[in-house]
Amino acid sequence: MSLPELFGIFFYVGLFTIGGGLVAITLMYQPVVEAGLISSALFYNMVAISESTPGPIGINMATYVGYELYGPIGGILTTAGTVLPSLIIIIIIAKYFAQMQTNKLVQAAFSGLRPAVSGMIAVAAAQVLEITLINIPSFEETGSIAGLFQPRCIIFYVFALAVLFKTKIHPILIIFAGAVFGILFL
């Protein structure tokens, strides 16, 4: 894939990412993983790192994918491709904000987008859970249901959720603990 094609893919991702970075991940998966540019495992490792680093996850992912494929110039182009549509749209909205704010069609469009965005976020969450808690390649190799689940990951996930909901610990500490767990045990 050429650099202009990669830029085009991430421009598309940036243009249709309505609802946050998890939607961007869902939109990135097909043209990046299913096209064979990177493996599914590497993609989800990138997701984990992008969630753990400061900044918007969608832009972090774009930068990481571009850098992985083409080095610094790839990272710059994919980041620009992801950010440029939002920048253009914000400039247009700023110019016509007063007129658009009360427009019934604009309000209806955003109301219609909410369920679609929720669905895309749910797909991204399901994909992340699948790759982290379920070991499909092991199941396909052995056919054993016991090999399907990753007990250590499930135990850590349940423990982290319990700590997050039962204590007032800051979520960044849970993210840090998850990174340490991944480095030490996976």
Side-chain angles (χ1 to χ4, degrees), residues 1 10 12 23 26 37 42 65 79 99 102 104 106 110 137 154 167-169 186:
M1 177 173 292
F10 283 89
Y12 163 81
V23 174
T26 304
L37 297 177
L42 178 58
V65 169
T79 302
Q99 297 161 340
T102 58
K104 297 288 184 195
V106 172
F110 279 111
I154 293 171
T167 68
K168 292 183 179 186
I169 192 168
L186 299 179

Side-chain angles (χ1 to χ4, degrees), residues 97-110:
F97 181 72
Q99 297 161 340
M100 295 178 84
Q101 187 176 11
T102 58
N103 187 316
K104 297 288 184 195
L105 289 174
V106 172
Q107 291 174 351
F110 279 111

Side-chain angles (χ1 to χ4, degrees), residues 64-75:
Y64 197 169
V65 169
Y67 185 83
E68 182 72 23
L69 295 174
Y70 286 101
I73 192 73

Side-chain angles (χ1 to χ4, degrees), residues 44 47 51 121-136 148-150 153-154 157-158 161:
Y44 286 110
V47 170
E51 285 182 333
I121 290 171
V123 166
Q127 289 173 335
V128 169
L129 283 174
E130 176 185 332
I131 199 77
T132 56
L133 302 179
I134 301 172
N135 191 353
I136 291 177
L148 180 62
F149 299 101
Q150 298 186 51
C153 293
I154 293 171
Y157 176 74
V158 170
L161 277 179

Side-chain angles (χ1 to χ4, degrees), residues 51-96:
E51 285 182 333
S52 302
T53 54
I57 184 172
I59 295 170
N60 289 350
M61 276 293 294
T63 306
Y64 197 169
V65 169
Y67 185 83
E68 182 72 23
L69 295 174
Y70 286 101
I73 192 73
I76 292 167
L77 281 178
T78 54
T79 302
T82 304
V83 172
L84 194 56
S86 298
L87 182 63
I88 293 168
I89 291 168
I90 290 299
I91 290 170
I92 293 169
I93 288 174
K95 183 166 176 64
Y96 300 103

